[in-house]
Amino acid sequence: TKYEGNIAKTLDPIVRFFIDRPAGTMFLYMLGFFILLLALKVRAEVALVSSIAYGLTSYLFIILGAGHNSKATAISLMAPVLAGVFLTLRKKYLLGGVVTALFLALQIWANHVQMTYYLGIMILVILLVYFIYSFKEKEVKSFFKSAGVLFAAAIVAVACNFTSLYATYSYSKETMRGKSDLVQDGKQQIGLDKEYATTWSYGIGETFTLLIPDFNGGVSNGALSEDSKSYSVLVQNGVPAHQAKQVIKNMPLYWGTQPGVAGPIYVGAIIIFLFVLGYFVVKGKIKHILLILTILSILLSWGSNFSFLTDFFFDYVPMYNKFRAVSMTLVIAELTIPLLAGLALWNIVKGDYPKEKLNRYLYISFGIVGGIALFFALFSGGLFSFTSPNDVQLKNIFPDWLLNALIEDRQQLLKSDAWRSFIYVALSFGVIWLFVNKKLKLQTLIPILVLLIIFDLWFVDKRYLNKDNFVRKSVVDVPFQPSEADKTILQDKDLYYRVFNQTVSPFNDASTSYFHKSVGGYHAAKLGRYQDVIEHHLSKGNMSVFNMLNTKWFILPDSRNNNQPVARYNPGALGNAWFVQDVMMVDNANQEIEALNDIDVATTLVYDKAFDNIVKSSPINYDSTANIKLVSYAPNKLVYECSTPVDACAVFSDIYYANGWNAQIDGNDVPYFRANYILRALNIPKGEHTIVFTFEPQEIKVGTIVSYTGSTILLLLIILSVFVYVRKYKSEKNKSVTD
């Protein structure tokens, strides 16, 4: 969907200096964080250190490799939004308000609501702590002035994106993240199922990956070296060397509790050291804010492993139950940890503490962080089993000798990375100690720390995003080649039919849609009723339901030809629309979905009693000579021609969605109703008619007006702020400007 009205989005290429993605996103990670540190009065060269560290955090690379582009963009814009918040709270009302509005407008435009939600949590904690301090310092009036400016900035940012937000809000109520229509165990599910939402819960011990990247093995399927125990036992047990090399390229290394991971969340050993040091050397409300957010982020990421807090948020905090993969809350800690680390370095550079006190803080921090890394390097072998719940299935694949070797390799990965982290902590401690004790200048300290951080993080990042992830543009432009089954189906020139591909995981794979209109596919927020039909009927192979969805073709694995995909025509598909002989009313959604097991959908439809007035508004008859045909297809407009000698009722194989789809017969608006739990149905008077279904959501019309208004206000504010600050600069150009 291309939402109109958001002029602010045209500023996106400007803020990333016209650098193409994904490099532009990586650049914006660093630039946004740099702006945040400048807003907190950190000197530029010191801000550079933790800005680079933040941009090289492993998770930010992993999501680029996985193709989570909207999430990456949304994360890259979190820091500059916070910069605007802090500027406003520092009473720079115009600059802070404009910076907040601009970057929040872009952050919302990135269209990852979950990341915006986490940003909202961060801002609420900041405001709460500032309010407490303002109350103590008797500056409540200025706090509320700042809060008012931030509220206005948020209104402008939301207005810029109102079209997409309004449409998403409207849609979300009908999805699996809204309220279910089905009643189970006497209640209706609201939001995501808690077990589903917490499937990806970070392990409590797994949190040590922030310091030691391969603490839990790193990636679900990763490569081992030829020095590994697995390679050695493969060769010893008669596996040819070239085959053994191939086997160790794809070993199940991860032994945590999550179903699978693309890599760990590693913020850097040096940054963790500086973060702990920040606890001692950073004072005031900023430290408390960052510590609260870090701890909250980690506790929430544990999900089902810390159910007390998770259950509270899931049941009582608005909208929290709309999101899945609670481990993603660690994006907050990934920002707050390097931010406190950067402030710690700045406090050291400023020289606010006497040398003796700084040395004591350095020793304590090194003892804590270096001690943890050294402890796991020396003693981890006896602490863990290095097995996971996922290993149960490995026993059917791996012989015992290979499984035992794999466990040894997992242990060695932890030990080697623990030693690695200890070395980087020791090096950074040494460099900072030399600076504190006047044996190293700032001009030397900064580049050494930058190099150490790059060496630390970049070589971990390359484990998960490297040259193997990049392909030629020609491959991206044509990512899939049609199989023989695809070629067979593509010869069918009907306007509109569906395909069900059983050679892939049909409801978690979108590749089928590259060539065909798919019954399956993937979306994290499917329509709730469609998900119900998947669970109750499609996943159980109910051909009656496949037929009513006009599933004209199936792609199956051919057991006679190495399970290669083969196309199978389904003669039972009911087409784009058909007339029914009977209608059956039920009292609720449970009865409606169960009825699909019993009725003949070719002759009978089932409907909820809520639509009884529409169904009975005209007589329903049946004549075998009646016909209806789709003559024009577009995703947002379908045109049918029909001829019926009697008043009749037709079912359409498209999904019912009341918020935008309108029906017309011969140009006149007519009501339609939901049939067979998910489809559309329409009473049609006798005669020859043209029927048109058009998608015209009111949210788009209203939202476009609001978005244009918000964008205009934002652009005027940007122009005003530039004018004010240019004039201020000119008036002070002969003065000594220190801030």
Side-chain angles (χ1 to χ4, degrees):
T1 304
K2 294 182 179 179
Y3 298 111
E4 299 295 332
N6 188 358
I7 305 172
K9 67 185 180 183
T10 59
L11 300 174
D12 170 68
I14 297 173
V15 300
R16 54 184 168 85
F17 284 69
F18 300 96
I19 303 172
D20 287 340
R21 293 185 174 91
T25 305
M26 177 184 166
F27 175 76
L28 196 52
Y29 288 153
M30 299 183 185
L31 176 63
F33 202 84
F34 187 73
I35 292 170
L36 173 56
L37 283 166
L38 293 184
L40 293 172
K41 298 185 178 181
V42 177
R43 236 166 79 176
E45 65 268 37
V46 179
L48 184 73
V49 177
S50 51
S51 298
I52 290 174
Y54 175 70
L56 294 177
T57 303
S58 69
Y59 182 73
L60 302 185
F61 268 62
I62 289 167
I63 59 177
L64 289 175
H68 296 307
N69 300 315
S70 62
K71 183 195 298 184
T73 302
I75 291 173
S76 71
L77 290 158
M78 283 180 165
V81 173
L82 296 181
V85 172
F86 283 119
L87 284 169
T88 307
L89 291 168
R90 283 176 47 207
K91 302 178 184 179
K92 293 184 176 292
Y93 301 119
L94 178 59
L95 179 62
V98 170
V99 169
T100 303
L102 168 62
F103 286 106
L104 183 57
L106 292 174
Q107 205 273 348
I108 296 172
W109 171 74
N111 197 29
H112 201 290
V113 180
Q114 189 166 357
M115 294 301 107
T116 303
Y117 185 84
Y118 295 154
L119 175 62
I121 290 176
M122 297 171 75
I123 294 173
L124 285 175
V125 170
I126 292 169
L127 291 176
L128 177 61
V129 173
Y130 263 85
F131 173 73
I132 293 171
Y133 269 83
S134 70
F135 188 79
K136 289 181 178 179
E137 297 164 0
K138 297 184 174 13
E139 291 205 7
V140 174
K141 185 177 180 180
S142 65
F143 168 80
F144 280 111
K145 186 176 180 180
S146 297
V149 171
L150 291 174
F151 181 75
I155 292 295
V156 172
V158 168
C160 291
N161 295 276
F162 191 74
T163 315
S164 60
L165 289 175
Y166 189 18
T168 300
Y169 169 74
S170 176
Y171 169 74
S172 68
K173 292 185 288 185
E174 306 298 326
T175 71
M176 55 195 285
R177 302 192 182 208
K179 184 177 181 180
S180 173
D181 290 327
L182 296 177
V183 177
Q184 297 179 353
D185 300 324
K187 62 181 181 180
Q188 289 175 284
Q189 177 70 39
I190 300 176
L192 291 175
D193 176 72
K194 193 178 298 183
E195 183 178 350
Y196 170 74
T198 57
T199 300
W200 268 265
S201 297
Y202 225 65
I204 294 176
E206 195 172 355
T207 311
F208 283 108
T209 62
L210 296 170
L211 172 64
I212 303 168
D214 275 357
F215 189 90
N216 272 101
V219 64
S220 292
N221 292 288
L224 292 170
S225 71
E226 293 178 32
D227 295 328
S228 64
K229 185 68 175 178
S230 294
Y231 178 78
S232 175
V233 299
L234 283 167
V235 173
Q236 290 173 13
N237 282 272
V239 177
H242 69 279
Q243 291 185 11
K245 291 176 183 178
Q246 292 300 314
V247 171
I248 63 170
K249 285 182 179 180
N250 193 34
M251 295 292 284
L253 303 181
Y254 175 72
W255 51 277
T257 57
Q258 299 183 79
V261 294
I265 295 176
Y266 176 60
V267 300
I270 298 170
I271 293 301
I272 292 291
F273 169 63
L274 287 172
F275 171 77
V276 174
L277 183 59
Y279 173 79
F280 300 103
V281 302
V282 178
K283 302 299 181 184
K285 49 181 143 333
I286 296 294
K287 179 179 78 172
H288 296 139
I289 289 168
L290 298 180
L291 288 175
I292 291 169
L293 285 171
T294 302
I295 293 168
L296 179 64
S297 169
I298 291 172
L299 295 179
L300 287 175
S301 76
W302 290 347
S304 58
N305 299 312
F306 195 66
S307 57
F308 168 76
L309 183 64
T310 300
D311 290 348
F312 174 81
F313 267 73
F314 212 85
D315 295 334
Y316 299 107
V317 176
M319 285 187 66
Y320 191 79
N321 62 4
K322 306 295 182 186
F323 306 115
R324 63 182 187 134
V326 293
S327 60
M328 277 199 279
T329 55
L330 281 173
V331 298
I332 297 175
E334 290 168 66
L335 190 150
T336 56
I337 291 173
L339 183 55
L340 186 56
L343 294 173
L345 183 60
W346 175 229
N347 276 268
I348 292 170
V349 168
K350 282 195 300 182
D352 289 347
Y353 292 91
K355 181 176 68 174
E356 294 75 16
K357 184 175 284 190
L358 271 180
N359 278 326
R360 185 166 72 251
Y361 292 154
L362 277 170
Y363 290 132
I364 294 172
S365 301
F366 176 65
I368 294 172
V369 181
I372 292 172
L374 187 61
F375 175 80
F376 285 119
L378 295 174
F379 304 113
S380 61
L383 296 174
F384 310 108
S385 67
F386 296 93
T387 60
S388 78
N390 302 323
D391 287 350
V392 174
Q393 55 189 340
L394 290 180
K395 293 181 179 180
N396 299 322
I397 304 171
F398 286 5
D400 289 342
W401 50 266
L402 182 55
L403 195 56
N404 292 333
L406 174 64
I407 290 172
E408 286 190 42
D409 286 327
R410 289 171 172 174
Q411 178 181 336
Q412 185 56 39
L413 286 173
L414 192 162
K415 283 190 172 185
S416 61
D417 264 5
W419 276 114
R420 180 186 185 280
S421 292
F422 174 77
I423 291 169
Y424 277 110
V425 171
L427 289 172
S428 59
F429 162 77
V431 171
I432 296 172
W433 184 90
L434 290 172
F435 173 79
V436 169
N437 291 277
K438 312 297 183 184
K439 300 179 185 298
L440 203 66
K441 293 183 178 180
L442 180 63
Q443 295 92 326
T444 307
L445 172 69
I446 297 301
I448 289 176
L449 282 177
V450 167
L451 286 173
L452 285 174
I453 286 170
I454 289 175
F455 276 109
D456 177 15
L457 289 164
W458 176 244
F459 284 101
V460 172
D461 294 337
K462 280 175 66 67
R463 300 175 186 178
Y464 314 110
L465 181 67
N466 50 55
K467 63 182 182 181
D468 294 336
N469 297 91
F470 290 84
V471 297
R472 294 184 182 276
K473 185 176 183 298
S474 58
V475 177
V476 176
D477 290 340
V478 188
F480 300 104
Q481 296 298 321
S483 67
E484 290 303 316
D486 293 321
K487 293 176 182 177
T488 298
I489 296 171
L490 290 171
Q491 292 176 16
D492 187 333
K493 299 304 179 183
D494 272 5
L495 284 178
Y496 181 28
Y497 53 86
R498 293 194 180 94
V499 176
F500 188 64
N501 188 353
Q502 293 180 264
T503 65
V504 296
S505 178
F507 302 111
N508 291 289
D509 183 278
S511 61
T512 305
S513 298
Y514 188 77
F515 297 108
H516 316 291
K517 295 173 181 65
S518 176
V519 172
Y522 173 77
H523 195 281
K526 294 186 183 80
L527 281 171
R529 281 184 169 257
Y530 197 84
Q531 181 65 27
D532 293 340
V533 168
I534 290 173
E535 294 172 1
H536 287 77
H537 295 288
L538 297 178
S539 62
K540 298 177 181 179
N542 187 336
M543 281 303 299
S544 179
V545 175
F546 279 109
N547 289 339
M548 78 180 196
L549 287 170
N550 194 22
T551 312
K552 194 174 179 183
W553 292 91
F554 284 76
I555 301 178
L556 308 169
D558 188 354
S559 59
R560 297 170 298 179
N561 186 22
N562 297 321
N563 287 327
Q564 291 298 306
V566 61
R568 290 287 184 264
Y569 173 71
N570 174 27
L574 293 174
N576 304 113
W578 62 96
F579 290 105
V580 292
Q581 302 174 27
D582 299 303
V583 297
M584 182 176 78
M585 186 184 76
V586 293
D587 292 331
N588 53 54
N590 288 63
Q591 294 178 8
E592 188 179 4
I593 199 167
E594 288 301 323
L596 295 178
N597 287 313
D598 304 317
I599 65 171
D600 180 359
V601 294
T603 60
T604 305
L605 69 79
V606 59
Y607 70 95
D608 190 285
K609 65 180 181 181
F611 297 97
D612 199 38
N613 288 339
I614 299 176
V615 176
K616 294 182 178 178
S617 62
S618 62
I620 296 175
N621 300 296
Y622 177 78
D623 190 292
S624 61
T625 63
N627 65 82
I628 184 167
K629 181 181 179 182
L630 179 71
V631 295
S632 175
Y633 167 80
N636 59 347
K637 186 175 182 180
L638 298 98
V639 181
Y640 304 82
E641 289 182 354
C642 80
S643 175
T644 172
V646 295
D647 294 331
C649 180
V651 179
F652 300 82
S653 66
D654 277 291
I655 309 305
Y656 176 89
Y657 184 72
N659 299 329
W661 278 105
N662 299 315
Q664 289 186 329
I665 297 179
D666 300 330
N668 299 311
D669 293 336
V670 292
Y672 63 99
F673 61 96
R674 188 182 62 233
N676 297 355
Y677 200 74
I678 55 171
L679 299 184
R680 307 172 195 167
L682 180 66
N683 288 339
I684 302 173
K686 64 181 179 181
E688 296 185 357
H689 305 286
T690 298
I691 300 166
V692 181
F693 278 97
T694 310
F695 191 58
E696 301 170 316
Q698 188 66 24
E699 294 89 341
I700 303 298
K701 297 176 182 178
V702 174
T704 300
I705 297 171
V706 177
S707 292
Y708 272 122
T709 303
S711 297
T712 302
I713 293 172
L714 177 59
L715 293 177
L716 289 174
L717 286 172
I718 292 172
I719 293 169
L720 174 63
S721 64
V722 170
F723 173 77
V724 169
Y725 280 93
V726 166
R727 191 171 70 171
K728 181 180 178 182
Y729 171 76
K730 287 182 177 179
S731 68
E732 296 180 349
K733 64 180 179 180
N734 294 322
K735 299 177 183 178
S736 174
V737 181
T738 59
D739 187 355

Short mmCIF file of all heavy atoms in Angstrom, two decimals, residues 100-128:
data_model
loop_
_atom_site.label_atom_id
_atom_site.label_comp_id
_atom_site.label_asym_id
_atom_site.label_seq_id
_atom_site.Cartn_x
_atom_site.Cartn_y
_atom_site.Cartn_z
N THR A 100 12.45 16.03 17.81
CA THR A 100 11.56 14.93 18.21
C THR A 100 10.51 14.65 17.14
O THR A 100 10.30 13.50 16.74
CB THR A 100 10.86 15.26 19.54
OG1 THR A 100 11.84 15.53 20.55
CG2 THR A 100 9.98 14.10 19.99
N ALA A 101 9.86 15.70 16.67
CA ALA A 101 8.79 15.52 15.67
C ALA A 101 9.33 14.93 14.38
O ALA A 101 8.72 14.01 13.79
CB ALA A 101 8.11 16.85 15.41
N LEU A 102 10.47 15.44 13.91
CA LEU A 102 11.05 14.98 12.65
C LEU A 102 11.41 13.50 12.71
O LEU A 102 10.97 12.69 11.88
CB LEU A 102 12.28 15.80 12.30
CG LEU A 102 13.16 15.26 11.16
CD1 LEU A 102 12.39 15.21 9.85
CD2 LEU A 102 14.42 16.11 11.00
N PHE A 103 12.22 13.13 13.71
CA PHE A 103 12.71 11.75 13.75
C PHE A 103 11.63 10.77 14.20
O PHE A 103 11.64 9.61 13.78
CB PHE A 103 13.96 11.66 14.62
CG PHE A 103 15.18 12.24 13.98
CD1 PHE A 103 15.70 13.45 14.39
CD2 PHE A 103 15.80 11.58 12.92
CE1 PHE A 103 16.82 14.00 13.78
CE2 PHE A 103 16.92 12.12 12.30
CZ PHE A 103 17.43 13.33 12.73
N LEU A 104 10.69 11.22 15.02
CA LEU A 104 9.58 10.34 15.38
C LEU A 104 8.68 10.10 14.18
O LEU A 104 8.18 8.98 13.98
CB LEU A 104 8.78 10.94 16.54
CG LEU A 104 7.64 10.07 17.08
CD1 LEU A 104 8.14 8.71 17.52
CD2 LEU A 104 6.93 10.78 18.24
N ALA A 105 8.47 11.13 13.36
CA ALA A 105 7.68 10.95 12.13
C ALA A 105 8.33 9.92 11.22
O ALA A 105 7.65 9.05 10.65
CB ALA A 105 7.54 12.28 11.40
N LEU A 106 9.66 9.97 11.09
CA LEU A 106 10.37 9.00 10.26
C LEU A 106 10.38 7.62 10.91
O LEU A 106 10.28 6.60 10.22
CB LEU A 106 11.80 9.48 10.02
CG LEU A 106 11.94 10.73 9.14
CD1 LEU A 106 13.40 11.19 9.10
CD2 LEU A 106 11.45 10.46 7.72
N GLN A 107 10.49 7.59 12.25
CA GLN A 107 10.52 6.30 12.95
C GLN A 107 9.18 5.58 12.80
O GLN A 107 9.15 4.36 12.56
CB GLN A 107 10.84 6.55 14.43
CG GLN A 107 11.48 5.36 15.14
CD GLN A 107 10.46 4.39 15.70
OE1 GLN A 107 9.26 4.66 15.78
NE2 GLN A 107 10.93 3.22 16.10
N ILE A 108 8.09 6.31 12.91
CA ILE A 108 6.77 5.69 12.73
C ILE A 108 6.59 5.27 11.27
O ILE A 108 6.03 4.21 10.98
CB ILE A 108 5.66 6.68 13.16
CG1 ILE A 108 5.77 6.97 14.66
CG2 ILE A 108 4.28 6.12 12.82
CD1 ILE A 108 4.84 8.06 15.14
N TRP A 109 7.09 6.11 10.34
CA TRP A 109 6.98 5.78 8.92
C TRP A 109 7.69 4.48 8.58
O TRP A 109 7.29 3.76 7.66
CB TRP A 109 7.55 6.93 8.08
CG TRP A 109 7.68 6.60 6.62
CD1 TRP A 109 6.68 6.49 5.69
CD2 TRP A 109 8.89 6.30 5.92
NE1 TRP A 109 7.19 6.15 4.47
CE2 TRP A 109 8.55 6.02 4.58
CE3 TRP A 109 10.23 6.24 6.30
CZ2 TRP A 109 9.50 5.70 3.63
CZ3 TRP A 109 11.17 5.91 5.35
CH2 TRP A 109 10.81 5.64 4.02
N ALA A 110 8.75 4.15 9.32
CA ALA A 110 9.47 2.88 9.08
C ALA A 110 8.54 1.68 9.22
O ALA A 110 8.83 0.60 8.71
CB ALA A 110 10.65 2.75 10.03
N ASN A 111 7.43 1.87 9.92
CA ASN A 111 6.33 0.90 9.93
C ASN A 111 6.70 -0.40 10.65
O ASN A 111 6.45 -1.49 10.15
CB ASN A 111 5.85 0.60 8.51
CG ASN A 111 4.47 -0.05 8.51
OD1 ASN A 111 3.67 0.19 9.41
ND2 ASN A 111 4.19 -0.85 7.51
N HIS A 112 7.31 -0.25 11.82
CA HIS A 112 7.47 -1.40 12.70
C HIS A 112 6.92 -0.99 14.06
O HIS A 112 7.63 -0.46 14.91
CB HIS A 112 8.93 -1.83 12.80
CG HIS A 112 9.08 -3.26 13.26
ND1 HIS A 112 8.78 -3.64 14.55
CD2 HIS A 112 9.46 -4.39 12.61
CE1 HIS A 112 9.00 -4.94 14.68
NE2 HIS A 112 9.39 -5.42 13.52
N VAL A 113 5.63 -1.26 14.26
CA VAL A 113 4.91 -0.75 15.42
C VAL A 113 5.53 -1.25 16.72
O VAL A 113 5.57 -0.54 17.73
CB VAL A 113 3.42 -1.14 15.35
CG1 VAL A 113 2.66 -0.60 16.55
CG2 VAL A 113 2.80 -0.59 14.06
N GLN A 114 6.06 -2.47 16.71
CA GLN A 114 6.65 -3.03 17.93
C GLN A 114 7.85 -2.20 18.38
O GLN A 114 8.02 -1.93 19.57
CB GLN A 114 7.05 -4.48 17.70
CG GLN A 114 7.47 -5.21 18.97
CD GLN A 114 7.54 -6.71 18.78
OE1 GLN A 114 7.24 -7.24 17.71
NE2 GLN A 114 7.94 -7.42 19.81
N MET A 115 8.69 -1.77 17.43
CA MET A 115 9.84 -0.95 17.79
C MET A 115 9.39 0.43 18.28
O MET A 115 9.97 0.99 19.21
CB MET A 115 10.78 -0.79 16.59
CG MET A 115 11.44 -2.09 16.14
SD MET A 115 12.44 -2.87 17.44
CE MET A 115 11.41 -4.28 17.86
N THR A 116 8.34 0.98 17.67
CA THR A 116 7.80 2.26 18.14
C THR A 116 7.24 2.11 19.55
O THR A 116 7.37 3.01 20.38
CB THR A 116 6.71 2.76 17.18
OG1 THR A 116 7.26 2.87 15.86
CG2 THR A 116 6.19 4.12 17.60
N TYR A 117 6.63 0.97 19.83
CA TYR A 117 6.10 0.70 21.17
C TYR A 117 7.23 0.69 22.20
O TYR A 117 7.10 1.29 23.28
CB TYR A 117 5.37 -0.65 21.16
CG TYR A 117 4.67 -1.00 22.45
CD1 TYR A 117 3.40 -0.51 22.72
CD2 TYR A 117 5.27 -1.83 23.38
CE1 TYR A 117 2.74 -0.85 23.90
CE2 TYR A 117 4.63 -2.17 24.56
CZ TYR A 117 3.37 -1.68 24.82
OH TYR A 117 2.73 -2.01 25.98
N TYR A 118 8.34 0.02 21.88
CA TYR A 118 9.47 -0.01 22.81
C TYR A 118 10.08 1.38 22.98
O TYR A 118 10.52 1.75 24.07
CB TYR A 118 10.53 -0.99 22.32
CG TYR A 118 10.08 -2.43 22.31
CD1 TYR A 118 10.65 -3.37 21.45
CD2 TYR A 118 9.08 -2.88 23.16
CE1 TYR A 118 10.24 -4.69 21.44
CE2 TYR A 118 8.65 -4.19 23.16
CZ TYR A 118 9.24 -5.09 22.28
OH TYR A 118 8.82 -6.41 22.28
N LEU A 119 10.10 2.16 21.91
CA LEU A 119 10.55 3.55 22.01
C LEU A 119 9.64 4.32 22.96
O LEU A 119 10.10 5.13 23.78
CB LEU A 119 10.56 4.20 20.63
CG LEU A 119 10.89 5.70 20.57
CD1 LEU A 119 12.30 5.97 21.11
CD2 LEU A 119 10.76 6.22 19.14
N GLY A 120 8.34 4.06 22.88
CA GLY A 120 7.39 4.71 23.77
C GLY A 120 7.66 4.37 25.23
O GLY A 120 7.56 5.24 26.12
N ILE A 121 8.01 3.10 25.50
CA ILE A 121 8.36 2.70 26.87
C ILE A 121 9.56 3.51 27.37
O ILE A 121 9.58 4.01 28.51
CB ILE A 121 8.67 1.19 26.93
CG1 ILE A 121 7.39 0.37 26.72
CG2 ILE A 121 9.33 0.82 28.26
CD1 ILE A 121 7.61 -1.12 26.67
N MET A 122 10.56 3.67 26.50
CA MET A 122 11.75 4.42 26.88
C MET A 122 11.39 5.87 27.22
O MET A 122 11.86 6.42 28.22
CB MET A 122 12.78 4.36 25.75
CG MET A 122 13.28 2.96 25.46
SD MET A 122 14.29 2.85 23.96
CE MET A 122 15.80 3.59 24.53
N ILE A 123 10.58 6.49 26.39
CA ILE A 123 10.22 7.89 26.62
C ILE A 123 9.40 8.04 27.90
O ILE A 123 9.60 8.99 28.67
CB ILE A 123 9.44 8.44 25.40
CG1 ILE A 123 10.37 8.48 24.17
CG2 ILE A 123 8.89 9.82 25.69
CD1 ILE A 123 9.67 8.84 22.88
N LEU A 124 8.50 7.10 28.17
CA LEU A 124 7.70 7.17 29.39
C LEU A 124 8.57 7.08 30.64
O LEU A 124 8.35 7.80 31.63
CB LEU A 124 6.65 6.05 29.40
CG LEU A 124 5.45 6.25 28.48
CD1 LEU A 124 4.56 5.02 28.49
CD2 LEU A 124 4.64 7.48 28.90
N VAL A 125 9.57 6.18 30.62
CA VAL A 125 10.47 6.07 31.77
C VAL A 125 11.28 7.35 31.94
O VAL A 125 11.46 7.85 33.06
CB VAL A 125 11.41 4.85 31.60
CG1 VAL A 125 12.51 4.86 32.67
CG2 VAL A 125 10.61 3.55 31.70
N ILE A 126 11.76 7.92 30.83
CA ILE A 126 12.50 9.19 30.89
C ILE A 126 11.65 10.28 31.52
O ILE A 126 12.09 10.99 32.43
CB ILE A 126 12.96 9.61 29.48
CG1 ILE A 126 14.04 8.65 28.95
CG2 ILE A 126 13.50 11.04 29.48
CD1 ILE A 126 14.35 8.83 27.48
N LEU A 127 10.40 10.41 31.07
CA LEU A 127 9.52 11.45 31.59
C LEU A 127 9.20 11.22 33.06
O LEU A 127 9.13 12.17 33.86
CB LEU A 127 8.23 11.50 30.77
CG LEU A 127 8.37 12.01 29.33
CD1 LEU A 127 7.04 11.91 28.60
CD2 LEU A 127 8.88 13.44 29.30
N LEU A 128 9.00 9.96 33.44
CA LEU A 128 8.69 9.66 34.83
C LEU A 128 9.84 10.06 35.75
O LEU A 128 9.63 10.70 36.78
CB LEU A 128 8.39 8.16 34.98
CG LEU A 128 8.10 7.67 36.41
CD1 LEU A 128 6.86 8.37 36.97
CD2 LEU A 128 7.91 6.16 36.43
#
